[in-house]
Amino acid sequence: MNLTLEALQIIDTIDRKGSFGAAAIALNRVPSALTYSIRKLEEDLDVLLFDRTGHRAKLTVAGLELLTEGRHLLQAAQELERRVKRTATGWEVELRIVLDSIVPFETLMPMIAAFDRENAGTRLRIFHEALSGVWEALINDRADLAIAAPHDGPDYVRMSGDFQTRQLGLTDWAFAVAPHHPLACAPEPLTANTIQQYRAVAVGDTGRVLPSITSGLLIGQDILTVPTMSTKLQAQLNGLGCGHLPRRLAAPYFLSGALIEKETLEAKPGVKSQIAWRTPVLGKSLKWFINQLSDPGTVQNFIEWP
């Protein structure tokens, strides 16, 4: 291959410094060495890269195109070098975190800000899944850390020895409807037969292989399936259905009157959620997040929204 990163660096420096001589000083090379390298590259590519008729080294159209695209390669090479050096120090190049849809992304922001102060250089990739989809992301190695994974997880997670889990807490639920929903005026406690007559709003399980997880739905009940807990909240605020919401998520809307809490004959029990990760833990970034999630104050933020 005729084109090298060294050649691109020489062209970039000549363009920025304005002359072969100034570039040679910047690169700690003699001018003749740079001249030879450029002439050799021009011969190999069979194109003229610099117009040498003036006092200032000026790129030709072909030279400008080469430099424009070449700078992307130089930046990528520099980033690769930095990533390799970071990996050697024990910090991961990338850490992938999956959140259950019950956890708003905003809840994670203070932890991300604290992690930035570590100057680890690790890229964070954060995404949402719902219910069994959280466990699948971890099992299929699409995530390094799962936060608020529901229930105990599949047998493989609990029995293989390849994963470790830690309880995050219990989510308290409240049955909520909009003031203009028919159930708003229904006598309490609401029976299952009464609720079953109206459409429920439910977050869709994003798992594709594991058995789907459902909770609080009645046989034969019409269901509006939505992608996230925030869209479920919006649907219920607009009276498009009824259902249970995390109490702390719904509490401000109960206070404002935008939602009405209804007592049900059969209350939905609290749902246990966990953090989970693959063992052994080798990277410093994953260890940092696991340690942060051991702090009681941090844990409370994930279970009880401000």
Side-chain angles (χ1 to χ4, degrees):
M1 183 176 181
N2 299 321
L3 187 61
T4 65
L5 291 175
E6 181 184 16
L8 291 173
Q9 185 181 36
I10 291 173
I11 296 171
D12 175 63
T13 307
I14 293 171
D15 180 67
R16 288 187 292 104
K17 297 299 182 180
S19 69
F20 280 69
I25 294 173
L27 295 173
N28 197 27
R29 305 271 294 274
V30 295
S32 59
L34 267 59
T35 300
Y36 173 80
S37 296
I38 295 300
R39 288 195 182 280
K40 181 68 168 61
L41 181 60
E42 288 176 328
E43 291 175 3
D44 291 340
L45 297 177
D46 195 25
V47 295
L48 190 65
L49 299 176
F50 283 95
D51 180 355
R52 299 172 176 81
T53 58
H55 296 290
R56 179 181 175 89
K58 183 179 179 181
L59 286 165
T60 62
V61 174
L64 182 60
E65 176 67 16
L66 177 63
L67 178 58
T68 300
E69 296 301 321
R71 278 175 172 157
H72 296 307
L73 295 176
L74 288 173
Q75 291 171 0
Q78 291 167 359
E79 175 60 20
L80 177 59
E81 182 178 346
R82 288 192 292 268
R83 290 166 60 187
V84 169
K85 290 179 179 179
R86 287 199 301 267
T87 302
T89 66
W91 294 98
E92 299 94 314
V93 173
E94 181 178 75
L95 184 68
R96 303 160 301 169
I97 301 174
V98 58
L99 304 175
D100 186 83
S101 64
I102 198 173
V103 178
F105 171 73
E106 292 80 3
T107 307
L108 198 62
M109 287 186 177
M111 192 180 300
I112 295 174
F115 181 71
D116 286 345
R117 291 191 287 272
E118 297 291 323
N119 293 316
T122 299
R123 294 175 178 172
L124 298 178
R125 182 181 297 273
I126 300 166
F127 59 100
H128 273 110
E129 295 284 353
L131 303 169
S132 70
V134 179
W135 292 108
E136 279 193 15
L138 190 65
I139 293 172
N140 296 336
D141 199 28
R142 291 190 292 111
D144 305 299
L145 175 65
I147 297 178
H151 305 292
D152 294 325
D155 291 341
Y156 175 69
V157 171
R158 290 183 282 108
M159 301 175 64
S160 68
D162 295 334
F163 302 90
Q164 189 169 342
T165 62
R166 180 185 301 159
Q167 184 165 331
L168 192 59
L170 290 173
T171 300
D172 187 24
W173 298 87
F175 192 85
V177 295
H180 56 281
H181 190 278
L183 286 176
C185 299
E188 299 175 276
L190 300 178
T191 65
N193 286 336
T194 300
I195 297 172
Q196 192 268 344
Q197 299 175 44
Y198 299 94
R199 182 168 64 181
V201 182
V203 176
D205 191 313
T206 58
R208 294 173 175 81
V209 178
L210 295 174
S212 295
I213 298 174
T214 58
S215 180
L217 299 177
L218 301 172
I219 296 175
Q221 187 178 21
D222 185 22
I223 302 172
L224 171 63
T225 303
V226 296
T228 64
M229 186 59 67
S230 63
T231 52
K232 173 176 163 64
L233 170 64
Q234 291 302 316
Q236 291 185 220
L237 284 168
N238 283 276
L240 301 181
C242 60
H244 290 87
L245 291 167
R247 179 172 297 280
R248 290 301 296 269
L249 181 63
Y253 302 96
F254 290 151
L255 289 174
S256 69
L259 286 174
I260 295 176
E261 180 178 3
K262 300 292 289 186
E263 181 185 354
T264 59
L265 191 61
E266 297 181 9
K268 180 177 178 177
V271 175
K272 180 175 69 173
S273 62
Q274 304 184 73
I275 61 170
W277 62 91
R278 189 180 295 272
T279 57
V281 178
L282 301 177
K284 291 182 179 180
S285 298
L286 178 56
K287 290 178 181 177
W288 187 93
F289 274 91
I290 292 172
N291 288 335
Q292 289 293 307
L293 289 166
S294 301
D295 178 72
T298 301
V299 170
Q300 186 178 25
N301 288 336
F302 281 91
I303 302 303
E304 299 183 34
W305 288 275

